[in-house]
Amino acid sequence: MSPSSELIATDIESYLKIHENKDILRFLTCGSVDDGKSTLIGRLLYDSKMIFEDQMAAIEKDSKRFNTTDEAFDLALLVDGLQSEREQGITIDVAYRYFATEQRKFIIADTPGHEQYTRNMATGASTCDLAIILIDARHGVQVQTRRHSYICSQLGIKHVIIAINKMDIVNYDQDVYQKIKKDYRDFAEQLKFKDIRFVPISALKGDNVVNESTNMSWYPGSPLLKLLNTVTIDRRVADAFRFQVQYVNRPNLDFRGFSGTVASGDIRVGDTIAVLPSGKRSQIKSIVTFDGDLEKASAGMAVTLTLNDEIDVGRGDMLVRPHEPCLVSDSFDADVVWMSEEPLYADREYLIKAGSKLTSGHVRAVNFKVDVNTLKHSESRQLSLNEMGECRFILNEKIPFDQYDDNRNTGAFIIIDRLTNATVGAGMIGRITESAGALRKQYSEFELEFNALIRKQYPHWGVRDISKD
């Protein structure tokens, strides 16, 4: 649904063209429990006149059963659509909504605030450019506020708007706003955010959401919607060409192509590519799509590439330019968000899925665990549900990837339980470490030295001399 325009009546094709070419901003709402995330989205859509009449009628009807406010209707019901969400008055799963203004289009992810559903929040944040972090003016910065802020920072979100909500309950007190603003700034100094903005609002009453508030004349800034319309997003996309093979397309004997989505950069017919991790090279013969062949494919496009040479390329391989290779290793350190009730155990075998590449491996060690309140690192042998830390991974084969800070699309992976096939964690690759092969060599040398020492001191133990094997 889009805002009214005179072009709709006079030149619908021009209007649709303008609307099609608008910039898209993906953002999420997050924060602690009952900070008003769903109500804020409902207010944004309602005051922007982005709700259809049938939706309004349904909300008014449902409000008679599930209303958690004293208003005529509960705007949170617009995004809290699950039966269990409405009965409990909480957000459980990520809800997505779309709306547009004259300036740009928006995709909103409303994420849950309960610690139990932190994994859902991390999923919603993984594709967003900006985060609106809500803080209840009565309670200030909470543990879950810090946890969500840290996750947003680790997931590469650089722009945040801190919406200090429920200002109507604290009588629009400027001192309350300034104190929370200072507390959050002190905490966020250790995070990776580049742009932090603050706005005092009342999602329930509509103050400073779409329209300026007369109750907070002391606030010199813009309402939330204006900030969303005008914020300049730093979408630094890696220039290096990256193409993860998702499927080997072989419909007949005369065609063999490699299907997938261009993760970053671009490629043209005739360009030389290297296949990683094997390192074999060839040239792009054609770029095939449903609508016909192309001369060039850019980031975000789903295409099938054919090559001049019959080389071995399989699912999970990465196509790159030879002078812009990605990293290839079987060992790396990664920031991990643990999402399972069963803790992460070192040396336990897990499935690792990086893009379309699925392999197995284990966590050699938990380097440290992060305290979300202080962001200090502490020693730990495991990660429990919703805990975050840095782990060292050893895989059973080498895989191609980039560091997450360099390329979000090729630097992330998920951890899968081998028995239940459930996703138990998400990781962001930091740096490569010594290869697993070198580590195994070190272990073998250590075992040789250790066994020799044991045989010398305790010859009657009969320790096997593996150097003769």
Side-chain angles (χ1 to χ4, degrees):
M1 186 178 183
S2 56
S4 60
S5 170
E6 293 181 359
L7 282 177
I8 296 178
T10 60
D11 190 349
I12 186 64
E13 291 186 1
S14 297
Y15 171 79
L16 292 175
K17 193 66 176 178
I18 293 173
H19 186 71
E20 179 184 353
N21 294 328
K22 286 179 182 177
D23 177 47
I24 298 179
L25 175 65
R26 294 176 173 86
F27 70 90
L28 78 152
T29 57
C30 57
S32 192
V33 180
D34 292 330
D35 280 350
K37 297 175 288 296
S38 300
T39 302
L40 172 62
I41 294 178
R43 174 61 65 182
L44 264 175
L45 300 178
Y46 179 74
D47 285 0
S48 301
K49 298 179 173 54
M50 293 288 109
I51 305 178
F52 291 106
E53 290 184 3
D54 59 339
Q55 288 178 305
M56 283 299 305
I59 293 174
E60 290 177 359
K61 179 180 178 181
D62 292 341
S63 293
K64 296 177 181 179
R65 292 184 57 198
F66 304 110
N67 200 340
T68 58
T69 71
D70 295 328
E71 301 298 307
F73 50 87
D74 188 353
L75 290 171
L77 298 179
L78 184 66
V79 285
D80 288 341
L82 298 177
Q83 181 73 15
S84 55
E85 291 180 324
R86 295 188 169 193
E87 290 176 350
Q88 300 179 59
I90 64 173
T91 301
I92 296 175
D93 203 356
V94 182
Y96 293 93
R97 286 295 181 269
Y98 165 85
F99 79 106
T101 65
E102 295 289 350
Q103 289 76 28
R104 61 180 16 153
K105 295 183 286 189
F106 301 93
I107 298 175
I108 317 169
D110 180 34
T111 62
H114 287 67
E115 182 178 354
Q116 178 183 354
Y117 305 113
T118 298
R119 56 184 178 270
N120 296 15
M121 176 268 159
T123 300
S126 61
T127 58
C128 288
D129 307 306
L130 177 145
I132 298 177
I133 302 174
L134 276 83
I135 298 177
D136 191 325
R138 300 170 300 173
H139 308 309
V141 179
Q142 301 292 298
V143 173
Q144 199 68 341
T145 311
R146 296 185 178 95
R147 178 177 282 108
H148 285 188
S149 298
Y150 180 75
I151 292 175
C152 287
S153 172
Q154 294 301 102
L155 285 173
I157 295 177
K158 305 299 182 183
H159 306 268
V160 293
I161 297 176
I162 310 303
I164 300 175
N165 192 24
K166 303 186 181 181
M167 289 297 295
D168 55 305
I169 300 180
V170 297
N171 298 318
Y172 305 101
D173 191 338
Q174 183 180 5
D175 292 337
V176 173
Y177 167 74
Q178 293 293 349
K179 182 181 184 303
I180 295 175
K181 182 177 178 180
K182 180 182 182 303
D183 290 345
Y184 189 87
R185 280 199 181 278
D186 292 342
F187 166 75
E189 284 182 355
Q190 305 173 65
L191 301 178
K192 302 176 184 178
F193 297 140
K194 290 184 177 179
D195 178 25
I196 304 178
R197 308 187 185 199
F198 295 84
V199 54
I201 67 169
S202 170
L204 186 64
K205 304 295 183 182
D207 294 281
N208 278 341
V209 178
V210 172
N211 304 306
E212 293 184 4
S213 171
T214 57
N215 296 309
M216 290 179 282
S217 57
W218 44 262
Y219 170 66
S222 302
L224 178 62
L225 183 58
K226 187 175 181 180
L227 292 178
L228 293 173
N229 275 324
T230 58
V231 61
T232 301
I233 299 298
D234 177 20
R235 292 193 178 96
R236 185 180 64 86
V237 180
D239 296 328
F241 171 67
R242 299 287 185 266
F243 182 87
Q244 295 174 309
V245 177
Q246 299 175 8
Y247 173 66
V248 179
N249 194 342
R250 184 76 168 175
N252 54 60
L253 295 176
D254 300 322
F255 185 90
R256 181 167 176 258
F258 309 102
S259 302
T261 300
V262 181
S264 63
D266 55 59
I267 195 71
R268 294 178 180 272
V269 173
D271 286 352
T272 300
I273 57 93
V275 182
L276 297 180
S278 70
K280 296 178 180 179
R281 298 189 181 189
S282 184
Q283 293 76 40
I284 300 295
K285 180 179 180 181
S286 63
I287 302 174
V288 183
T289 71
F290 179 80
D291 297 319
D293 291 4
L294 303 175
E295 284 297 315
K296 176 184 176 182
S298 304
M301 297 177 63
V303 297
T304 296
L305 304 179
T306 66
L307 306 179
N308 286 333
D309 305 289
E310 288 293 333
I311 60 176
D312 183 17
V313 181
R315 176 178 170 85
D317 287 346
M318 185 95 75
L319 305 189
V320 303
R321 286 194 173 90
H323 64 281
E324 297 175 331
C326 64
L327 302 171
V328 176
S329 179
D330 51 10
S331 179
F332 52 79
D333 287 342
D335 294 318
V336 173
V337 181
W338 193 246
M339 303 176 177
S340 173
E341 294 184 1
E342 185 175 357
L344 177 151
Y345 293 106
D347 296 326
R348 179 175 176 178
E349 197 85 356
Y350 294 100
L351 294 177
I352 306 297
K353 191 172 190 298
S356 55
K357 180 65 176 180
L358 180 65
T359 186
S360 58
H362 67 277
V363 175
R364 183 190 176 199
V366 178
N367 295 340
F368 58 80
K369 181 171 65 175
V370 178
D371 185 332
V372 295
N373 283 303
T374 63
L375 298 184
K376 291 184 178 179
H377 300 169
S378 60
E379 293 185 2
S380 179
R381 296 180 60 86
Q382 66 181 41
L383 293 180
S384 300
L385 176 64
N386 297 325
E387 287 188 334
M388 289 154 283
E390 183 185 86
C391 300
R392 178 156 298 180
F393 286 82
I394 303 293
L395 307 185
N396 293 332
E397 61 179 314
K398 292 185 177 182
I399 65 170
F401 57 84
D402 289 291
Q403 290 182 310
Y404 187 81
D405 287 344
D406 295 333
N407 195 322
R408 291 173 69 177
N409 294 323
T410 57
F413 63 94
I414 60 173
I415 308 168
I416 302 171
D417 187 277
R418 293 172 60 93
L419 298 178
T420 65
N421 208 36
T423 300
V424 293
M428 291 75 70
I429 299 174
R431 63 182 181 275
I432 61 172
T433 57
E434 194 168 13
S435 71
L439 289 171
R440 295 187 186 102
K441 182 178 179 181
Q442 287 182 7
Y443 293 155
S444 298
E445 291 174 351
F446 171 77
E447 189 176 0
L448 284 170
E449 295 176 0
F450 181 77
N451 285 350
L453 178 63
I454 293 298
R455 283 194 305 275
K456 182 178 180 180
Q457 295 190 5
Y458 306 99
H460 59 284
W461 281 15
V463 178
R464 178 172 60 92
D465 187 354
I466 65 172
S467 64
K468 298 179 181 180
D469 291 349

